[in-house]
Amino acid sequence: MKTIGRYQIIRRLGRGGMGSVYKGLVPVIDKVVAIKLLDPSELMCDILGRDKLREIFTFEARTMASFNQPFLVTAHDFDEDNRGRPYFVMEYICNNLGSMIGETYRLERDSRIIEAATVLHYGRQLLAALDFLHHNAIVHRDIKPQNILVTDEDSIKLCDFGMALVNGVAFSGPANMQIGSPCYTPPEQRKNPDGVDGRADLYSAAVLLYRMLTGTLPGMQSFSLSLINPIYDSTWDAFFIKALQWHPDDRFQS
């Protein structure tokens, strides 16, 4: 593929169930951008159908186009390619937290540890992004390292809103379809994904912070960072004990 719409394609960056993301160039000015193209797998087409997938894709683009917040990826163009497949255009950011910590599809394996000051730096930015989303009645529902891009200026940008719940509205698939990454998803989202609120994202954010600090997932083990690394004291333990509570009423509420 040499072009998508008016954009010249440099290479494909990745592929998921919904489609592919490409690195491309804006004509004339040669600005590098990321382009997400709806090109679903056969399995996704069988599960949801092409019309529903197109609806989800357009919903994601409209949601991202509405953002005006420094730690969220925004969409700034939308069109169809010569085969009638919709695509939208975003800023290009080459790095993400998943690759930084070396997390693979085998989530049970330990990942790289990030120093506390950097975790706090990224964590504050992520929480600012979530504060904006939740204030605007948007629940991301898929907070994980691969969905957090890291810029050359060492700030983060939250991306991938295909699973987002906006004003209580989201796409609906089969009843047994998992929404979000299992290791980062709170219990209430597994049971009733359309009934969650911002506290679900806060649980996932806490799992992410724990993962960066320890290289492991909290799971059913103790949340005590002080037992894993002596540089952490009881203040850190108290934070994660509250942030990782299974019942949303027992967690941080905002």
Side-chain angles (χ1 to χ4, degrees):
M1 186 183 297
K2 295 182 179 180
T3 62
I4 295 177
R6 66 192 185 96
Y7 298 92
Q8 178 185 344
I9 299 307
I10 299 171
R11 65 184 177 92
R12 187 164 71 180
L13 299 172
R15 179 176 174 84
M18 287 282 288
S20 298
V21 178
Y22 295 86
K23 181 180 181 180
L25 286 176
V26 181
V28 182
I29 63 173
D30 289 342
K31 179 180 174 63
V32 178
V33 293
I35 303 163
K36 187 169 184 177
L37 175 71
L38 179 62
D39 185 21
S41 65
E42 289 186 13
L43 177 61
M44 287 296 286
C45 287
D46 290 343
I47 293 173
L48 294 171
R50 289 190 176 274
D51 289 343
K52 174 60 72 173
L53 289 169
R54 188 183 183 95
E55 179 186 337
I56 296 166
F57 190 84
T58 305
F59 185 78
E60 179 183 10
R62 289 177 62 89
T63 300
M64 294 177 66
S66 69
F67 296 154
N68 182 23
Q69 206 280 343
F71 307 126
L72 296 171
V73 172
T74 60
H76 53 78
D77 193 13
F78 185 93
D79 207 341
E80 295 182 354
D81 71 357
N82 57 9
R83 292 171 53 186
R85 298 175 298 179
Y87 65 86
F88 62 86
V89 181
M90 308 162 284
E91 58 195 303
Y92 171 72
I93 301 169
C94 66
N95 201 8
N96 68 68
L97 275 180
S99 61
M100 283 182 64
I101 66 175
E103 183 177 273
T104 69
Y105 70 94
R106 299 193 61 177
L107 297 180
E108 73 278 3
R109 291 185 172 178
D110 288 355
S111 59
R112 285 190 287 272
I113 294 172
I114 296 179
E115 64 177 13
T118 301
V119 173
L120 292 174
H121 174 64
Y122 294 155
R124 290 187 182 104
Q125 295 176 25
L126 174 59
L127 293 177
L130 292 178
D131 185 51
F132 175 90
L133 292 176
H134 299 163
H135 179 75
N136 288 281
I138 301 171
V139 185
H140 188 280
R141 299 199 301 178
D142 196 18
I143 303 296
K144 61 183 179 182
Q146 291 75 16
N147 285 342
I148 298 174
L149 307 179
V150 183
T151 72
D152 292 341
E153 292 75 33
D154 203 34
S155 63
I156 64 106
K157 296 266 188 180
L158 180 59
C159 69
D160 200 344
F161 288 80
M163 301 288 182
L165 191 67
V166 183
N167 290 314
V169 177
F171 81 89
S172 56
N176 62 347
M177 187 172 180
Q178 174 73 45
I179 302 296
S181 177
C183 292
Y184 290 89
T185 301
E188 70 271 19
Q189 188 169 313
R190 296 170 215 160
K191 296 176 183 176
N192 181 21
D194 291 347
V196 299
D197 57 27
R199 295 173 296 180
D201 285 344
L202 296 182
Y203 177 94
S204 301
V207 176
L208 175 68
L209 295 174
Y210 188 94
R211 175 74 148 171
M212 288 192 287
L213 288 165
T214 66
T216 63
L217 293 162
M220 299 299 292
Q221 62 185 297
S222 168
F223 300 141
S224 298
L225 265 69
S226 59
L227 297 179
I228 297 173
N229 192 324
I231 70 169
Y232 303 115
D233 61 18
S234 60
T235 305
W236 295 83
D237 292 341
F239 170 81
F240 282 106
I241 287 170
K242 186 173 181 66
L244 292 167
Q245 287 292 321
W246 276 48
H247 197 287
D249 287 344
D250 297 330
R251 291 180 211 140
F252 294 104
Q253 300 298 293
S254 64

